Every structure is written in structure tokens, then in C-alpha cells.
Amino acid sequence: LPRLNMGSCVMKRASWVFIRKHFPKKKVNQNRLLYWFEVKQFFKKYNLPKHVFLCTNGKPQYLDLSKDWAYLLLENALVNNQVFSLEEMLPAPRQMLQDKEGKRYATEFLVQWRNGIL
């Protein structure tokens, strides 16, 4: 689903919903790195950003899709979930605000939207 903006304000981050049966399946005795490469190619087809949140039934979990550990977490999530989504991380790490010591942090405002009224 595309990002929803209202002017320069992001109302909803872009997200991608995947059904496990359409996701690359790890073959018996398949080398884990080869499988991860297959998954990376699958994500590349959908133009996923490098930094995403994995959303299943619990709290969203940060994934850096350029790191191999992210695919281990994803693989584990697929065991118990038929459907999962990935949501873009906004702001991305390099877009975050920076304090005097150089530490980066994000600021987010949550707005409730009911019946078309803010």
C-alpha cells in the first residue's frame, strides 16, 4: 500500500502485505545464505526500503534488510504466521533528528482519525 501524505505530513507509512504461501519457501537442505539471497531478490521486486518494521500479531519489529540477521528474524516469524506485513521506517536512520552529542532520535505524533474528523 502506498504512503499516504497530507501535504508534507505522513499520515500512513507505505506497507507491503505478504501471504506465506506466495513467499519464497526454503527448500529442504537449502543453504540458508542461498535462501536469504532468494528472499532479497523477492523484496527487490517490490522495491522495499532497507529499513522496515516487521508486523505480525505483536509489536512491530525493526529489520535492516541489508543485514543477514534480519532474515533470521523473518524466517522465525514465518513459522507462526500465514500473513505478515512490512512497513517502511520513517524517518529512516539518516533522516532522524540529532542532538548535541550526535545521537539520533525519531519524533512521531499520533493523531486519532474518526469518522473523517481529526
Side-chain angles (χ1 to χ4, degrees):
L1 302 169
R3 183 187 302 160
L4 175 62
N5 292 323
M6 219 178 223
S8 62
C9 184
V10 176
M11 302 304 286
K12 175 87 175 88
R13 298 177 183 115
S15 61
W16 296 260
V17 178
F18 298 99
I19 300 171
R20 187 169 76 184
K21 70 180 180 180
H22 299 298
F23 196 76
K25 186 173 166 65
K26 188 174 184 286
K27 295 154 191 75
V28 178
N29 297 325
Q30 183 180 18
N31 178 294
R32 182 170 267 145
L33 290 176
L34 290 176
Y35 173 65
W36 291 345
F37 179 76
E38 192 178 323
V39 172
K40 284 181 185 182
Q41 295 305 313
F42 179 80
F43 285 156
K44 194 177 276 190
K45 183 169 80 173
Y46 292 99
N47 289 327
L48 263 78
K50 178 180 170 180
H51 304 281
V52 296
F53 289 106
L54 169 64
C55 305
T56 53
N57 296 329
K59 183 179 177 185
Q61 188 164 13
Y62 168 71
L63 297 178
D64 179 342
L65 295 179
S66 70
K67 307 291 184 201
D68 289 340
W69 58 261
Y71 295 92
L72 244 169
L73 292 173
L74 186 58
E75 202 174 309
N76 290 336
L78 289 175
V79 171
N80 298 317
N81 296 285
Q82 295 296 319
V83 176
F84 70 96
S85 66
L86 295 173
E87 188 174 280
E88 70 178 330
M89 179 184 176
L90 282 180
R94 291 190 176 186
Q95 297 170 322
M96 291 184 181
L97 299 172
Q98 200 168 1
D99 66 14
K100 292 177 186 176
E101 289 81 38
K103 292 181 184 178
R104 295 187 179 273
Y105 62 95
T107 301
E108 177 174 80
F109 296 99
L110 298 178
V111 179
Q112 278 192 330
W113 185 290
R114 290 183 287 162
N115 300 326
I117 302 170
L118 287 177

